[in-house]
Amino acid sequence: MGIYKTKQKSNVLKILSDNIDKELTISQIKEIADQMDMKLGLTTIYRGLDELEKMNQIRKTVRPNGEAEYQLVQEECFHHFHMKCSSCGKLIHLDCSEVDLLMEHISKKHAFHIDSISTTIMGVCDSCYREEAN
Amino acid sequence: MGIYKTKQKSNVLKILSDNIDKELTISQIKEIADQMDMKLGLTTIYRGLDELEKMNQIRKTVRPNGEAEYQLVQEECFHHFHMKCSSCGKLIHLDCSEVDLLMEHISKKHAFHIDSISTTIMGVCDSCYREEAN
DNA sequence: TTGCGTGCAAAGGTTTTGCATGGCA
DNA sequence: TGCCATGCAAAACCTTTGCACGCAA
């Protein structure tokens, strides 16, 4: 991550790893940093995340309103899809052999090379679906 | 679409249906309108697209840079996935029974209700992939 | 000491809002 | 005629850039 090792960069990484199960927006990261008295400037957060993205250490997705959100990727993330509930925001890592087969099918029969990090299957998770039914 | 029928609204629709195979950004729509001497204001385009989106007549996606792009949906689009080449921008409608089976699997086994209009499988199409190899 | 990193302020780009005017029904 | 639609200008956002200062190596 860059050339120098700084407190700010490790703080950005810490916030991301403390929230490994969530996708965080820049402003959420800023808020968390403020709460922890980290003194992280907005610009620094943007630049730190850019570096991490170039090193493929984070997944960047863009919300419908144009705001970006970020999440530290784990090794498995390169090999599975992510499903996101548009109602509660929950992110589900889809480890499933049937999905693997489909990715292979798409690669071989449709000649398309999927980038699973950039792909998010959108929808509604079961608990939100039941709530909406009420 | 709204309450009144206006020239501007039908012009937005015409531009979208003339480009049924492409995803257009607001500025592209504006350019096309200017070329056709349509005198469409930017604000009007935004509002017309908002209405169409609420009526589920268009698919709105957001590029990594935060810019939105729009495309008229056809009936089939509600039942298949879309794949987008991040290199050339080509959009592929994925009509395939194996994909249908997977969607069913995800619904039944993973209890997730997919919104195929909001989902875009990202990757690189074959011709771009071969070019990159060179 | 060198030069990369930081963060404020300003600029850039897209989208939304306020408001007076225009046009459909 | 009554209201909705339009479009300009301004505001609101998120993100990027310029630049002087601070800090890692």
Side-chain angles (χ1 to χ4, degrees):
Chain A
M1 185 171 177
I3 291 172
Y4 290 178
K5 197 185 301 181
T6 65
K7 189 144 199 164
Q8 288 90 338
K9 291 180 185 180
S10 62
N11 278 340
V12 170
L13 260 178
K14 173 165 174 41
I15 291 174
L16 288 174
S17 60
D18 283 351
N19 293 277
I20 192 77
D21 57 325
K22 302 196 195 95
E23 294 174 297
L24 299 178
T25 63
I26 299 275
S27 55
Q28 285 174 322
I29 293 172
K30 173 67 172 157
E31 274 175 35
I32 294 172
D34 286 348
Q35 286 168 14
M36 299 176 94
D37 285 317
M38 277 177 172
K39 296 182 194 330
L40 262 182
L42 258 189
T43 308
T44 305
I45 299 174
Y46 276 104
R47 288 194 274 229
L49 292 171
D50 281 351
E51 281 185 24
L52 288 170
E53 196 194 359
K54 280 185 189 117
M55 297 164 71
N56 288 318
Q57 294 202 20
I58 54 175
R59 218 172 82 89
K60 174 184 179 180
T61 45
V62 186
R63 293 188 178 175
N65 70 359
E67 196 178 15
E69 45 191 9
Y70 302 84
Q71 181 184 37
L72 220 52
V73 299
Q74 296 160 283
E75 184 50 35
E76 316 88 76
C77 293
F78 290 100
H79 307 295
H80 61 215
F81 277 142
H82 300 85
M83 300 195 297
K84 173 153 192 174
C85 175
S86 56
S87 180
C88 68
K90 184 165 73 181
L91 186 75
I92 301 163
H93 298 253
L94 189 51
D95 271 308
C96 169
S97 59
E98 309 208 18
V99 178
D100 294 345
L101 286 174
L102 183 86
M103 287 177 70
E104 205 173 306
H105 168 81
I106 287 178
S107 167
K108 286 186 178 161
K109 302 295 181 185
H110 298 276
F112 190 83
H113 305 81
I114 295 178
D115 173 4
S116 50
I117 288 289
S118 304
T119 299
T120 303
I121 297 176
M122 299 301 299
V124 179
C125 72
D126 206 46
S127 53
C128 287
Y129 188 78
R130 290 177 196 204
E131 264 181 42
E132 283 177 16
N134 295 339
Chain B
M1 183 169 178
I3 291 172
Y4 290 177
K5 195 185 304 180
T6 66
K7 191 144 198 164
Q8 287 89 339
K9 292 180 185 179
S10 63
N11 278 340
V12 169
L13 259 177
K14 173 166 174 40
I15 291 174
L16 288 174
S17 61
D18 282 352
N19 293 277
I20 192 77
D21 58 324
K22 302 198 194 94
E23 293 173 298
L24 299 178
T25 63
I26 299 275
S27 55
Q28 286 174 321
I29 293 173
K30 173 67 173 158
E31 274 175 35
I32 294 171
D34 287 347
Q35 286 169 14
M36 298 176 95
D37 286 317
M38 278 176 172
K39 295 182 196 328
L40 263 182
L42 257 190
T43 309
T44 305
I45 299 174
Y46 275 103
R47 288 195 273 231
L49 292 171
D50 281 351
E51 283 185 21
L52 287 169
E53 196 195 359
K54 280 187 190 116
M55 297 166 71
N56 289 318
Q57 294 201 20
I58 53 174
R59 216 172 84 90
K60 174 184 179 179
T61 45
V62 187
R63 294 187 179 176
N65 70 1
E67 196 178 16
E69 44 190 11
Y70 303 83
Q71 180 184 41
L72 220 51
V73 299
Q74 296 162 284
E75 185 50 34
E76 316 89 76
C77 294
F78 290 101
H79 307 295
H80 61 215
F81 278 142
H82 299 85
M83 301 194 298
K84 174 153 191 172
C85 176
S86 56
S87 178
C88 68
K90 185 165 71 179
L91 185 75
I92 300 162
H93 297 254
L94 189 52
D95 271 310
C96 169
S97 59
E98 309 208 18
V99 179
D100 294 344
L101 286 175
L102 183 86
M103 288 176 70
E104 206 173 304
H105 167 81
I106 287 178
S107 167
K108 286 186 179 163
K109 302 295 179 186
H110 298 275
F112 191 84
H113 305 81
I114 294 178
D115 173 5
S116 51
I117 290 290
S118 304
T119 299
T120 303
I121 296 176
M122 300 301 298
V124 179
C125 73
D126 207 45
S127 52
C128 288
Y129 188 77
R130 292 178 195 203
E131 264 181 43
E132 282 176 18
N134 296 341

